[in-house]
Amino acid sequence: MTDNDATPLATELMDLTRRREILREATAPLPPSTRIVALSNQKGGVGKTTTAVNIAAALAKLGARVLVIDLDPQGNASTALGVEHTAKVQGVYESIIGSVPLVDVVRQSPNNANLTCVPATINLAGAEIELVSAPARETRLKSAIEEYLATVEDKPHYIFIDCPPSLGLLTLNALTAANEVFVPIQAEYYALEGVTMLWDNIAMVQKFLNPRVSITGVLLTMYDPRTNLSREVADEVKRHFPNLVFRSVIPRSVRVSEAPSYQQTVIDYDLDSAGGIAYREAAIEFAERGVY
Ligand SMILES: Nc1ncnc2c1ncn2[C@@H]1O[C@H](COP(=O)(O)OP(=O)(O)O)[C@@H](O)[C@H]1O
Ligand SMILES: [Mg+2]
């Protein structure tokens, strides 16, 4: 059978096999200094957390030391990384509100020796309000990370900050601490709605709080190649951000959505599934784009 008379399913399977083979040999360059990356988009459910944990896990599997800071009170990133985040656990809340050093709240992810996580517990839900009257309210996470990087010997190559779906003080702390913002965009109707607001916010942060932060990537998530809508949205996003959109596109995949219920990323749960392959490709693209 040649490619020409293959059914769409057979073509898709051949494509996955080919990409899986390429990934078997793949490597990713390590950055010369720690890349601090905020995953942000004020819309909920667009794939911020899924992207944070899966790119983190894929890079860790390729040999990078990776820290994920869960900054969403829901604690979904902590769950996916298999890190406990009940109210009795100390996490990012205690660090940014209580000034507990970050090094004391970093936990090992049981699934990968190179992967650590600062969990978010329900305590963090109050932080948005507590920060309002706190001194240095926008720079608390930045200070905690700086102190951490000055303390630890084996500095992480990557720190990913999983932001909550809002543009409040927690997200502001993430944008102030980061050098890069990575924006997952769901391939659905209204995908770009609100994105201008995120861009305006980042511009404000650049001006007043953190001149070195910039948007370094846009990733299309939950893409369904069978629908015209997904294709149209993808084209529109590419037109909008020609240099920022990643070549890698994350398909909608059941394996990706199942993984967190096993306290795993798709990289642990089903490495060679369509979603696992796409996130590993995105992780390599992420690593390559950051090394200039
Ligand atoms: N590629 C995907 N395929 C299928 N389901 C996905 C995919 N990416 C994310 N999801 C699911 O969509 C929901 C929202 O994703 P999530 O990463 O939590 O978004 P956010 O952090 O932006 O709120 C979750 O239930 C997640 O499991
Ligand atoms: Mg999330």
Side-chain angles (χ1 to χ4, degrees), residues 141-242:
L141 183 62
K142 177 189 168 71
S143 304
I145 292 174
E146 276 172 359
E147 182 195 47
Y148 177 73
L149 291 176
T151 324
V152 293
E153 215 157 274
D154 287 334
K155 295 188 205 329
H157 297 102
Y158 297 96
I159 298 179
F160 291 103
I161 308 170
D162 185 30
C163 291
S166 65
L167 290 172
L169 276 167
L170 284 173
T171 295
L172 209 53
N173 264 270
L175 300 180
T176 304
N179 337 111
E180 305 177 35
V181 186
F182 191 60
V183 184
I185 292 186
Q186 185 181 349
E188 51 131 38
Y189 205 54
Y190 295 134
L192 288 173
E193 192 191 58
V195 164
T196 349
M197 231 152 65
L198 174 63
W199 254 247
D200 290 350
N201 249 265
I202 293 168
M204 293 281 277
V205 171
Q206 269 171 341
K207 195 163 165 194
F208 296 111
L209 292 163
N210 179 13
R212 65 193 170 155
V213 72
S214 62
I215 299 163
T216 52
V218 168
L219 183 69
L220 281 158
T221 64
M222 292 179 249
Y223 182 80
D224 184 349
R226 279 163 292 234
T227 69
N228 288 335
L229 178 63
S230 258
R231 278 201 302 274
E232 282 164 24
V233 171
D235 288 344
E236 193 187 350
V237 172
K238 282 179 197 155
R239 260 200 311 279
H240 237 81
F241 313 110

Side-chain angles (χ1 to χ4, degrees), residues 44-45 47-50 70 72 74 76-77 162-165:
K48 287 181 291 297
T49 302
T50 307
D70 191 348
D72 186 339
Q74 303 236 2
N76 293 338
D162 185 30
C163 291

Side-chain angles (χ1 to χ4, degrees), residues 3-32:
D3 276 17
N4 286 339
D5 46 46
T7 63
L9 181 62
T11 309
E12 195 180 320
L13 288 175
M14 281 189 283
D15 179 55
L16 284 176
T17 307
R18 182 184 57 79
R19 289 159 63 201
R20 202 176 289 141
E21 286 305 317
I22 294 171
L23 282 169
R24 227 178 283 288
E25 310 285 314
T27 56
L30 293 173

